Amino acid sequence: MKYLEFDTPAIKQAMDLASDFRLKNQGFTDLDRVFWNLPDEALYEEAVFRNEGKVTKGGPLLVNTKPHTARAAADKFIVEEEGTKDKIWWGVYNRPFSQEKFSALMARAKAFCQGEELFVQDVYAGADPDYRMKVRVITDKAWISLFARNMFITTEDRDELKNFVPEFTILTLSGFKVDPAIDGTRTQTAIVLNFAERTAIIANSLYGGEVKKSVFTVLNFLLTFQDVLPMHCSANVGKKGDVALFFGLSGTGKTTLSADPNRLLIGDDEHGWSGNGVFNFEGGCYAKVIRLSAEAEPEIYATTRRFGTILENVVFDPVSRYIDLEDDIITENTRCSYPIEFIPNIVSEGYVHSHPKNIIFLTCDASGVMPPIARLSPEQAQYHFISGYTSKIAGTEIGLGIEPQITFSACFGAPFMVRHPYEYSQMLKERMLKHKANVWLVNTGWVGGRFGVGKRISIRHTRNLLNAALDGKLDKVEYRKDKLFGFEVPLSCPEVPEDVLEPSNSWGNKDEYWKKYDALAARFVENFKLFTDGTAEEVKKAGPVRLKV
């Protein structure tokens, strides 16, 4: 654009909402122009003018992020330095990066920015004013600036923006390729977090999720030192102020089950649990939209037809501008980003000064052996939290014929956990004991046999079980102790057939059921070996016991 000296739509307003703490204060020099804190409408105009995206029917901005249509998880690094190296859970998700290499990389990134136009958004992460973090997002794309506005908490207060000094800066440069030979990276893409310098670089990726999850990863580390438990979960609150947390990986029903007409949604994906209560980290939602339907998810579906939403990698007709949510030709991971206010029935402040009464771990058991609901002791809660068990299912349609994969993701979000999972589990246990919270393991997977043989458990039954748990109707019923896992399974539940509560009843062959259940227990035992170092003995003992042959 600059080579032809075009005036872009927001050029005259570029500096009107600038912070006095300029980019030159952060070492950026010889920039062409910086667009500061542009509102949504101006960012739309800039993105369309720069051919970054198209406006589709109803007003969403549609962008294509190829070749990266998902997070480059294997390209994430954390700078190893004196202040943090003993506190980080080094390994497959937290790869060390030297301070020297980071300094050289940042110098090249700043050189790359010379002569370029950049967009800045000064935003907040964390809805509770006592714990919110000032975040500056610097990017070479107008639409990523809009993404930052959607996903984080913004202000229109001019004095606030003028006096804004960031506590963490995310520099995302889609056009900047790193060099594996020089930088020691795996590819030309890198996400590098530096806690000492309170800076992260996202290089050579257009995928919006990298910005969102980089901030989440930062909070997952820093907030633990303020006695706040960071959580990858959705949260809602009942009319009596009783908070419920829903942990679960993709495909377990977290979004569906936390969206309850009788309860207000605090947030959809990332939260903190402090001494004050529970607060949302974000100001928006980032939902998967492949095969989304108006019938199953009316609120999210409605956002794909309105101004302010960003659609990532969704197929559309360039003539009519209608989108096709069924088409996965670009990716199965089509997404939409929108402000949380687009959803009705929310806690508008994003935080509540009350504590969880119920914590739900959602698991999609594709082997068809786990009970539909079980109550966990504090140590069992730690064990299952550290394990983070579910099954990955290809796509969202039943009967695709693709065998699901058993998967474990520590704390139901391993890629974003910076400290050892036991540390987070200990914080969870302390809070559940202090606030007398129940912890439930809820299976939204298969009954009557494994995937391909049995069927997915009825959402009606799951809802009724969940409602009974949240309403305290399972407090007084009788329980049985599970033979392998030792957790408590209710023998009855209002509006749920008793047969459903005993999964072996729906299997034709009981021997086969126990073999399959034992095999799953073996997988748990094997997986937990990754965490035995640094985990207390009573938590290790809270796992399953294999069948005696």
Side-chain angles (χ1 to χ4, degrees):
M1 213 71 69
K2 63 183 184 301
Y3 303 118
L4 298 174
E5 295 298 331
F6 280 133
D7 277 0
T8 70
I11 201 164
K12 290 179 180 164
Q13 293 80 43
M15 299 296 295
D16 287 2
L17 298 174
S19 162
D20 285 347
F21 188 78
R22 299 284 162 85
L23 294 193
K24 67 184 177 189
N25 297 98
Q26 296 180 271
F28 291 85
T29 57
D30 300 312
L31 302 173
D32 182 348
R33 183 171 285 102
V34 181
F35 294 86
W36 286 88
N37 295 309
L38 292 184
D40 301 6
E41 295 78 6
L43 288 168
Y44 254 75
E45 289 175 356
E46 286 289 331
V48 172
F49 185 81
R50 293 159 190 269
N51 203 29
E52 293 175 11
K54 302 288 185 187
V55 180
T56 60
K57 204 75 177 175
L61 181 70
L62 187 146
V63 297
N64 190 309
T65 70
K66 285 197 300 187
H68 292 95
T69 57
R71 284 182 304 102
D75 293 311
K76 189 187 95 180
F77 300 87
I78 293 178
V79 174
E80 186 175 11
E81 35 78 25
E82 284 307 310
T84 56
K85 70 176 181 183
D86 296 335
K87 301 179 179 80
I88 285 170
W89 181 41
W90 299 108
V92 64
Y93 298 117
N94 300 308
R95 301 166 189 81
F97 201 80
S98 78
Q99 179 61 55
E100 294 72 28
K101 284 198 185 309
F102 183 85
S103 299
L105 181 64
M106 180 56 86
R108 292 212 323 281
K110 286 175 177 174
F112 173 86
C113 292
Q114 291 183 351
E116 294 292 324
E117 294 181 326
L118 297 176
F119 294 85
V120 174
Q121 287 293 329
D122 287 333
V123 295
Y124 299 93
D128 187 333
D130 288 349
Y131 297 103
R132 66 175 36 169
M133 184 173 74
K134 293 177 175 178
V135 178
R136 173 166 288 174
V137 180
I138 306 168
T139 175
D140 54 355
K141 296 291 181 190
W143 82 259
I144 293 179
S145 209
L146 177 62
F147 181 89
R149 287 184 64 79
N150 274 359
M151 296 314 303
F152 304 113
I153 297 160
T154 58
T155 179
E156 291 184 4
D157 186 313
R158 291 193 173 214
D159 285 338
E160 220 174 302
L161 291 172
K162 183 178 167 60
N163 296 311
F164 193 98
V165 178
E167 295 167 284
F168 209 98
T169 298
I170 308 283
L171 174 62
T172 173
L173 300 172
S174 62
F176 176 54
K177 290 181 169 64
V178 299
D179 187 335
I182 296 171
D183 301 308
T185 55
R186 194 181 66 96
T187 66
Q188 292 182 312
T189 300
I191 300 93
V192 190
L193 279 64
N194 188 330
F195 286 107
E197 295 186 12
R198 296 293 182 106
T199 304
I201 298 174
I202 300 169
N204 190 39
S205 174
L206 267 173
Y207 184 63
E210 297 290 12
V211 178
K212 167 187 158 71
K213 289 304 186 188
S214 290
V215 172
F216 183 44
T217 305
V218 166
L219 294 174
N220 266 328
F221 185 65
L222 296 178
L223 284 175
T224 59
F225 300 103
Q226 296 182 58
D227 198 28
V228 175
L229 171 62
M231 305 175 293
H232 189 214
C233 69
S234 57
N236 65 25
V237 60
K239 294 182 175 73
K240 296 175 184 170
D242 56 307
V243 175
L245 305 177
F246 298 79
F247 290 89
L249 299 170
S250 184
T252 55
K254 183 166 60 117
T255 303
T256 305
L257 292 169
S258 61
D260 185 331
N262 298 311
R263 300 171 68 84
L264 294 178
L265 186 72
I266 302 168
D268 152 82
D269 196 43
E270 301 167 5
H271 293 83
W273 187 353
S274 72
N276 297 342
V278 172
F279 63 97
N280 193 357
F281 284 169
E282 301 183 299
C285 302
Y286 189 49
K288 208 168 172 182
V289 294
I290 192 72
R291 292 178 281 279
L292 190 72
S293 73
E295 296 72 41
E297 303 278 4
E299 289 93 355
I300 300 173
Y301 184 85
T303 70
T304 66
R305 295 339 195 232
R306 69 180 283 183
F307 180 89
T309 294
I310 299 168
L311 297 170
E312 275 188 347
N313 305 310
V314 171
V315 173
F316 84 117
D317 179 344
V319 178
S320 69
R321 298 298 171 110
Y322 281 106
I323 58 172
D324 182 358
L325 297 179
E326 299 292 317
D327 198 330
D328 61 1
I329 193 165
I330 300 172
T331 178
E332 178 81 18
N333 188 37
T334 54
R335 294 268 175 178
C336 71
S337 155
Y338 53 88
I340 196 167
E341 306 85 65
F342 283 13
I343 298 288
N345 213 35
I346 60 161
V347 176
S348 54
E349 302 82 11
Y351 64 91
V352 290
H353 285 165
S354 55
H355 297 274
K357 291 293 170 213
N358 290 283
I359 299 163
I360 293 102
F361 298 160
L362 294 166
T363 183
C364 174
D365 174 34
S367 55
V369 291
M370 293 199 95
I373 193 166
R375 188 168 62 187
L376 308 181
S377 72
E379 290 72 29
Q380 287 168 346
Q382 285 184 278
Y383 183 91
H384 284 273
F385 187 59
I386 291 169
S387 297
Y389 164 66
T390 195
S391 305
K392 280 185 185 166
I393 294 144
T396 52
E397 290 180 330
I398 296 167
L400 292 175
I402 299 163
E403 196 69 26
Q405 286 178 315
I406 282 179
T407 188
F408 294 90
S409 185
C411 309
F412 298 94
F416 324 114
M417 301 301 139
V418 186
R419 302 186 69 183
H420 190 289
Y422 176 71
E423 305 276 352
Y424 298 106
S425 81
Q426 194 62 13
M427 291 179 81
L428 183 74
K429 178 187 172 182
E430 286 164 7
R431 283 158 176 73
M432 65 175 282
L433 288 173
K434 183 177 179 180
H435 301 290
K436 299 180 173 60
N438 285 315
V439 180
W440 307 91
L441 186 66
V442 173
N443 174 21
T444 60
W446 270 254
V447 289
R450 61 178 176 78
F451 175 88
V453 177
K455 60 178 186 187
R456 194 91 188 248
I457 189 167
S458 150
I459 186 78
R460 184 169 51 85
H461 288 158
T462 302
R463 276 244 182 248
N464 290 342
L465 287 163
L466 206 47
N467 290 340
L470 297 181
D471 296 341
K473 290 177 183 170
L474 295 183
D475 292 352
K476 302 254 168 49
V477 302
E478 275 188 72
Y479 285 78
R480 67 174 174 84
K481 186 177 176 181
D482 188 86
K483 201 193 298 189
L484 294 187
F485 281 84
F487 42 49
E488 294 183 310
V489 181
L491 294 174
S492 62
C493 174
E495 298 180 68
V496 177
E498 286 185 15
D499 258 16
V500 172
L501 296 165
E502 175 48 82
S504 67
N505 287 342
S506 57
W507 282 63
N509 184 328
K510 291 281 171 80
D511 285 345
E512 192 187 344
Y513 168 81
W514 286 108
K515 277 182 193 162
K516 198 79 177 169
Y517 202 11
D518 188 54
L520 180 62
R523 295 289 290 270
F524 267 86
V525 171
E526 194 57 35
N527 172 70
F528 208 81
K529 288 175 182 173
L530 299 169
F531 311 105
T532 49
D533 284 352
T535 296
E537 206 57 42
E538 68 268 19
V539 178
K540 296 178 203 171
K541 288 178 179 168
V545 177
R546 299 284 309 277
L547 282 176
K548 291 180 176 63
V549 182

